[in-house]
Amino acid sequence: MAAKTDLPVEKVYGLFCNESGYQTPKIDTRAAVFIDGKILLVHENNGTWSLPGDGAMWISPSHPTREGSFEETGCTVHSKKLIAVQDWRKHNVMNHAYGVIKTFMLCQYESGTFKSNIETTEIGLFDRTSLPNDLAIEKTTKDQILMCFDFYEKPDASTLFD
C-alpha cells in the first residue's frame, strides 16, 4: 500500500499491524432513542451530529449502546430491539483501513439530561423533517436515521441486515 500511495511505511504498518491475530471487523453500535416522536442526536466536538453510540469491544452490542449513550448524552437508555446490522463500507464514509460492522438499536429513554463531556457539546431532538445537514456521516447518515424512524413507527418490522 505504501508503494501505491503517499503514505509512509510506518503509517501503513500502524493501520494494518496494530493488533495480534487476525484483523477482524470492529463493531460500532448506535442508539436510536425517541422522545415524544423525535430522535435524540448528539452534537460532536467537531461540529457534526450523530446517533449516540460506541464501539463494542469483546462485549455484547447492547452494553456499549447503553454506555456510549450515557457518556455522550447523560441519559440512561436500554436497548429494546435490533434495528439493523450494516457493513459500514456500504453505507458510510470510510476513514479506516479495516472493516466496521454497524448495529442500530431501538432504545428506550429512561431518565437524565445532558452532561458536559469530552466527546459531545450538546444533544438535540429532531423529527424526520428537521434533521441537521451537518451529520457525522462516518458514524450516521441521513438514510440511517430515517431507517431508525421507519423502525420506530413500525416496531414489528424485521431486523435489516446486509
Side-chain angles (χ1 to χ4, degrees):
M1 180 176 255
K4 298 284 186 183
T5 68
D6 292 332
L7 294 174
V9 172
E10 297 78 24
K11 176 75 171 176
V12 173
Y13 184 85
L15 289 171
F16 292 100
C17 302
N18 58 356
E19 297 178 7
S20 61
Y22 294 106
Q23 291 272 335
T24 58
K26 309 300 180 202
I27 305 288
D28 177 65
T29 65
R30 294 289 136 189
V33 181
F34 288 88
I35 301 171
D36 298 327
K38 295 182 178 182
I39 198 162
L40 176 71
L41 299 179
V42 293
H43 199 211
E44 305 277 347
N45 282 336
N46 68 2
T48 60
W49 292 87
S50 74
L51 292 169
D54 205 352
M57 297 157 222
W58 307 296
I59 51 180
S60 70
S62 65
H63 179 80
T65 304
R66 182 181 64 247
E67 294 301 312
S69 293
F70 182 75
E71 290 170 4
E72 294 178 358
T73 68
C75 299
T76 302
V77 303
H78 71 272
S79 299
K80 301 284 283 177
K81 192 170 181 182
L82 179 63
I83 296 171
V85 178
Q86 295 183 336
D87 179 345
W88 170 68
R89 292 170 295 189
K90 294 179 179 180
H91 301 276
N92 299 87
V93 170
M94 297 186 305
N95 59 0
H96 298 295
Y98 48 82
V100 177
I101 302 299
K102 297 186 69 66
T103 64
F104 295 84
M105 305 281 189
L106 183 62
C107 295
Q108 175 71 43
Y109 167 79
E110 295 293 324
S111 63
T113 58
F114 181 74
K115 292 181 182 154
S116 181
N117 62 79
I118 62 170
E119 295 182 51
T120 59
T121 60
E122 64 180 312
I123 59 175
L125 293 173
F126 299 89
D127 62 34
R128 75 165 49 237
T129 62
S130 66
L131 296 174
N133 291 324
D134 50 345
L135 294 172
I137 56 177
E138 73 282 0
K139 295 180 180 181
T140 309
T141 66
K142 182 177 182 179
D143 286 342
Q144 289 167 329
I145 295 171
L146 293 175
M147 171 188 69
C148 294
F149 268 103
D150 292 343
F151 201 88
Y152 170 72
E153 293 163 358
K154 294 180 183 170
D156 292 334
S158 297
T159 299
L160 304 169
F161 57 92
D162 291 338

